[in-house]
Amino acid sequence: MTPPAGDRDPAHTPVRPVRVLLCDDHAVVRAGLLALLSSAHGIEVIGEAGDGEEAVALAAALRPDVVLMDLQLGSGIDGIEATRRIAGLPEREAEGAAERDDEREAGRADRRDVEREAGRADGRDVERDAAGRGAAGRGATGRGAPHVLVLTTYDTDADINRAIEAGATGYLLKAERPEELFSAIRAAAAGRSTLSAPVAHRVLAQMRSPRPGLTDRELDILGQLARGLSNREIARALFISEATVKTHLGRIYDKLGVDTRAGAVSVAKEQRLLP
């Protein structure tokens, strides 16, 4: 006889592992992550992608719970754009994944049906059942877009801001300990955000003393500066006076926290402000 809901032992209730898709353009890195995650309890790698386009396609087809995303992916779209596309995947049923989940949970589903028909499932059982299906099914059954957890070596303000704005759930640096990575993956699967300590520090610093962004005109001048043009040449190219160029340069220096032309170009490249 099936035991009443209140008599079940939670320790013996099967828990579906967190399904992870890896995206990194270096095969050696993917192999290392695969070996590392294979040692983690409750985490299963279901696919690998070597570029952004492949990651988006696999995320749509496999509906993982979490996509572990690098930012620099060689040719094609970068990790930011891949994150944006994955976060924007429409909510739909992924039939293959749904069928696999149905097979794995067939016994439990049948048992719940019998209990409901016999009148033994009370309100608390229904709530626990719905919550469990929602947490376990998000991603794998296509009820929502997969969560993207950025794993990268880049920790500039621009990278962090762009990733978060694109829809990343968390942002980790590759220097993190394995236990921190495992914890972040589980948190991301549950929809909770995780930031590496240096990343969290930068985010807080931005919030406490935000720097104003560059205007379109300042970005134009910065682009000309990166080409090695002099103030006079920039003025001619943009049809403005040389004095106006100097005024804009002073503002650019202040906003980027630099005091030289070379410094402005260097920071602009670091923060990916240049096309």
Side-chain angles (χ1 to χ4, degrees), residues 158-173:
D159 285 322
I160 296 167
N161 291 339
R162 290 172 66 228
I164 293 174
E165 290 170 359
T169 299
Y171 197 110
L172 287 190
L173 301 179

Side-chain angles (χ1 to χ4, degrees), residues 118-141:
R120 289 196 293 266
D122 59 17
R124 290 189 301 274
D125 283 331
V126 173
E127 289 179 0
R128 282 196 295 268
D129 183 33
R133 288 200 309 270
R138 193 191 189 283
T141 57

Side-chain angles (χ1 to χ4, degrees), residues 97-139:
E99 290 172 0
R100 289 192 295 273
D101 284 349
D102 288 343
E103 291 173 359
R104 283 194 293 265
E105 298 190 12
R108 280 177 286 164
D110 289 344
R111 187 162 61 250
R112 287 195 299 269
D113 288 340
V114 170
E115 290 173 353
R116 280 193 290 268
E117 291 171 4
R120 289 196 293 266
D122 59 17
R124 290 189 301 274
D125 283 331
V126 173
E127 289 179 0
R128 282 196 295 268
D129 183 33
R133 288 200 309 270
R138 193 191 189 283

